[in-house]
Amino acid sequence: MGDTSLTVKIGDEEEQKIHNLGDGIQALLTLAAPLFDRENERLLVFIEEPELFLHPWLQRVLLEMLCKRFPNHQYFLTTHSNHFLDLTMDAESVSVFAFEKELEKSESKEKPARYIVTNVSRSDRRPLELLGVRNSSVLLTNCTIWVEGITDRRYIAHWLDLYQQSLHGATDKSRSKFLKEDLHYSFVEYSGGNITHWSFLDESGPDVDRLCGKLFLIADSDGAKPGSAKEDRHRQLTEKLKERFVRLDVREIENLLTPACIRLVLVDYKEKENNLNSFSLEDYEKQALGSFIEEKILKEPKKKERDASYAEKSGTISDKVKFCERAVKHMASFDSLSLPAQELTKKIHKFIVDQNPNSGIG
């Protein structure tokens, strides 16, 4: 009988028998094989600790495969992986439940246990505490991209994907050449003003380069005025980090969205096209976008279909995450981005490639 070993080809690498591959790839294929056999059915799939033998990047691959490649199934995963918990931030269709064991109160030397099940929000740190996750648990990638918040991260991750599609194509094979989050780079969300707690300028505070490897720092202009403390700090960061620091020329990252994208988002919010004024990027790039929408784009704000205001008290976009989710759907190609967004994306892409010189990607 001839050799019946399963062989696997990854990107441009030479085809290998499965037993010659790493444990992570073997584990991923073992999990995926039954799903391919029954992909046209509607199944309840239970997987216990799927993170075993999986690098954090492969954990991301697994979750994306379950959500996108086999969307008809419903999955129940038990995990001790803090990386899986982090990935759920990017998946709308995932719910997280924390299981906490508690011994019943009794005089018995052997007390029965009961389990408390809690549905936790995405920002709740209790699951991490239950898992015993500490700062030392974090796997460090070769470089980090520092952004102000979750929407900055989502926009930039999407723009990087679009840029790489423009370079290599969007097929499954071409994606093997893409930069991969959690493998080649990681995002760090520093929450605006909290940037002052980190040492980028040889002052007191945690040394970022030692903690996180090579970094690329992006900051909003937020209308910083000449002579202000924020303007002075941005100047010092430019002198220290040079091309690794980008201060956006616009007020916030949402101000990089094109007028066409913003109009489509407003239509998603049930605004009528005939209630929207014409506007250009130059009209709002330095403005608080939420207030600009309320005061300049909507012809009759009092008749808008959306119940809440588009603006926070500060003038920025209210409910930025939902706004971002709508905007990302309307950016289908790299050419659809504004020129400043394209330039920023290319700078970040080059930085990540430069920090992963022997990876064969980019």
Side-chain angles (χ1 to χ4, degrees), residues 33 85 103 129 181 192 214 220-221 231 239 288-289 297 308 314-315:
L85 288 177
L103 296 181
E129 294 168 358
E181 187 178 347
K214 213 69 169 175
D220 295 342
S221 71
E231 180 75 14
E239 292 174 356
L289 187 56
I297 298 180
S314 64

Side-chain angles (χ1 to χ4, degrees), residues 17-183:
K17 294 181 179 179
I18 189 170
H19 55 257
N20 289 332
L21 300 175
D23 291 340
I25 296 292
Q26 292 187 47
L28 193 63
L29 292 173
T30 300
L31 289 169
L35 300 179
F36 278 102
D37 285 340
R38 306 180 69 176
E39 64 178 316
N40 295 322
E41 302 178 38
R42 300 180 68 86
L43 304 176
L44 296 178
V45 181
F46 298 83
I47 308 176
E48 184 173 3
E49 298 184 23
E51 70 271 14
L52 296 179
F53 306 111
L54 294 185
H55 182 284
W57 166 61
L58 285 178
Q59 293 179 33
R60 176 178 290 275
V61 170
L62 174 61
L63 193 63
E64 290 179 349
M65 178 185 70
L66 298 182
C67 292
K68 297 177 181 179
R69 183 63 177 81
F70 305 104
N72 293 329
H73 306 335
Q74 185 174 7
Y75 304 94
F76 296 84
L77 312 180
T78 62
T79 183
H80 293 92
S81 169
N82 57 296
H83 297 289
F84 259 121
L85 288 177
D86 181 57
L87 294 175
T88 63
M89 294 289 290
D90 297 329
E92 276 291 301
S93 57
V94 176
S95 296
V96 179
F97 294 85
F99 285 68
E100 192 170 3
K101 183 164 68 173
E102 183 179 90
L103 296 181
E104 292 185 3
K105 296 179 181 179
S106 72
E107 298 299 324
S108 172
K109 291 184 178 180
E110 295 185 358
K111 298 177 176 62
R114 64 173 185 155
Y115 292 86
I116 301 171
V117 183
T118 309
N119 185 204
V120 294
S121 70
R122 297 181 178 188
S123 59
D124 198 327
R125 289 190 55 84
R126 283 180 299 159
L128 293 176
E129 294 168 358
L130 290 172
L131 291 175
V133 174
R134 300 291 182 266
N135 290 344
S136 59
S137 305
V138 178
L139 179 78
L140 301 182
T141 51
N142 287 339
C143 60
T144 52
I145 312 300
W146 286 61
V147 295
E148 294 211 8
I150 186 172
T151 55
D152 301 68
R153 170 186 174 181
R154 290 188 176 186
Y155 284 124
I156 292 171
H158 183 63
W159 296 347
L160 281 170
D161 188 69
L162 293 178
Y163 181 50
Q164 292 176 105
Q165 289 183 39
S166 73
L167 294 176
H168 307 298
T171 64
D172 289 341
K173 182 177 180 180
S174 64
R175 284 187 172 275
S176 66
K177 301 177 182 178
F178 283 23
L179 300 168
K180 299 169 181 66
E181 187 178 347
D182 295 330
L183 180 64

